[in-house]
Amino acid sequence: MGKVFEMNHPLIKHKLTFIRDKETGAKDFRELVREVSMLMAYEVTRDLPLEDIEIETPIVKTKSQVLSGKKLGIVPILRAGLGMVEGMLNLLPAAKVGHVGLYRDPETLEPVEYYCKLPSDIEERDLIVLDPMLATGGSAKAAITFLKDRGATAIKLMCLIAAPEGIKVIQEAHPDVDIYIAAIDEKLNDHAYIIPGLGDAGDRLFGTK
Ligand code: PRP
Ligand code: URA
């Protein structure tokens, strides 16, 4: 069973409050999503391997640690996942970025795939799938299946807000995938929106309706 990590950092909680607030406009919303993603990057990379190298400080020679060169990939689910890319790249500038385009059919609520462009070596990379919302879990489940079908073997999922229903779907369908979430909310409403949630993440990021 994949592990679930809910962030408990006060900076994340504070910024999430303003992300949820309906009075927050697209410009501030984008900025806050970028900042929370950057803070979450710190947690999602906690298990990256290190190696010792020798360096010289102005005083002495010493051994010190650097990342051991594990290849990373970040994969936003279009379109709302795009809002999380810049924050991740701020901390992980060497990561490659793949894109998976999915939208949730408003009638059936089933994910419909419309785009895919991935790094050619995804089987060698630790992938972090980005989507602000994990509601029914249908989109993330399909995106992860899609990546596995193309050879991915190491995948984490990072979301801002998740409903318990979506977490269960991912844990059952992809027990090898750990989930990193800024906040776990109460439940879904009748239209499969998260309560209390933040509304439609794509619309709020890009000012559409
Ligand atoms: C939203 C969100 C997730 C999905 C979550 O995308 O960004 O991808 O819904 O819902 P689920 O867990 O029930 O699948 P949407 O389908 O609205 O597309 P968009 O990002 O293009 O707006
Ligand atoms: N997608 C969103 O953007 N928001 C929700 O609450 C659920 C799905």
Side-chain angles (χ1 to χ4, degrees):
M1 176 80 68
K3 294 198 236 11
V4 176
F5 300 92
E6 187 181 12
M7 307 292 119
N8 59 10
H9 197 288
L11 283 177
I12 294 181
K13 288 187 187 295
H14 175 85
K15 289 177 189 296
L16 205 52
T17 298
F18 296 97
I19 287 177
R20 291 181 187 279
D21 191 334
K22 68 175 187 180
E23 299 302 332
T24 301
K27 178 173 180 291
D28 289 338
F29 188 90
R30 278 194 293 272
E31 181 64 13
L32 288 159
V33 169
R34 185 185 69 77
E35 289 172 353
V36 170
S37 304
M38 189 162 62
L39 294 168
M40 289 182 75
Y42 178 83
E43 277 304 324
V44 89
T45 54
R46 187 174 278 286
D47 58 357
L48 282 182
L50 293 166
E51 66 187 13
D52 286 341
I53 60 165
E54 192 157 298
I55 56 160
E56 213 171 327
T57 75
I59 315 295
V60 286
K61 278 192 176 159
T62 186
K63 279 209 177 110
S64 196
Q65 292 185 311
V66 290
L67 293 172
S68 74
K70 186 90 197 143
K71 289 181 171 184
L72 295 177
I74 55 181
V75 183
I77 301 179
L78 305 181
R79 66 193 159 133
L82 287 175
M84 301 169 76
V85 172
E86 198 188 326
M88 291 294 282
L89 286 178
N90 286 159
L91 285 196
L92 304 168
K96 292 208 170 155
V97 184
H99 295 83
V100 173
L102 291 173
Y103 69 88
R104 201 169 66 154
D105 184 291
E107 301 295 323
T108 64
L109 301 180
E110 287 297 317
V112 182
E113 180 195 310
Y114 63 88
Y115 185 76
C116 176
K117 182 77 184 171
L118 299 170
S120 56
D121 56 356
I122 59 160
E123 65 287 348
E124 292 171 28
R125 292 186 178 269
D126 282 2
L127 300 181
I128 305 168
V129 174
L130 305 177
D131 196 325
M133 310 305 278
L134 182 64
T136 64
S139 305
K141 176 182 162 184
I144 293 168
T145 302
F146 197 63
L147 294 171
K148 287 182 175 173
D149 288 347
R150 284 158 181 77
T153 54
I155 302 176
K156 292 174 179 174
L157 174 63
M158 180 172 135
C159 305
L160 297 189
I161 298 181
E165 295 89 329
I167 294 173
K168 188 161 176 276
V169 163
I170 298 301
Q171 286 187 317
E172 283 174 5
H174 299 293
D176 55 314
V177 172
D178 290 342
I179 312 173
Y180 294 77
I181 308 164
I184 301 174
D185 277 8
E186 219 177 289
K187 59 178 180 182
L188 300 176
N189 71 10
D190 292 343
H191 303 284
Y193 274 85
I194 298 176
I195 301 176
L198 55 73
D200 187 301
D203 285 346
R204 294 200 60 193
L205 271 169
F206 298 114
T208 49
K209 192 71 197 126

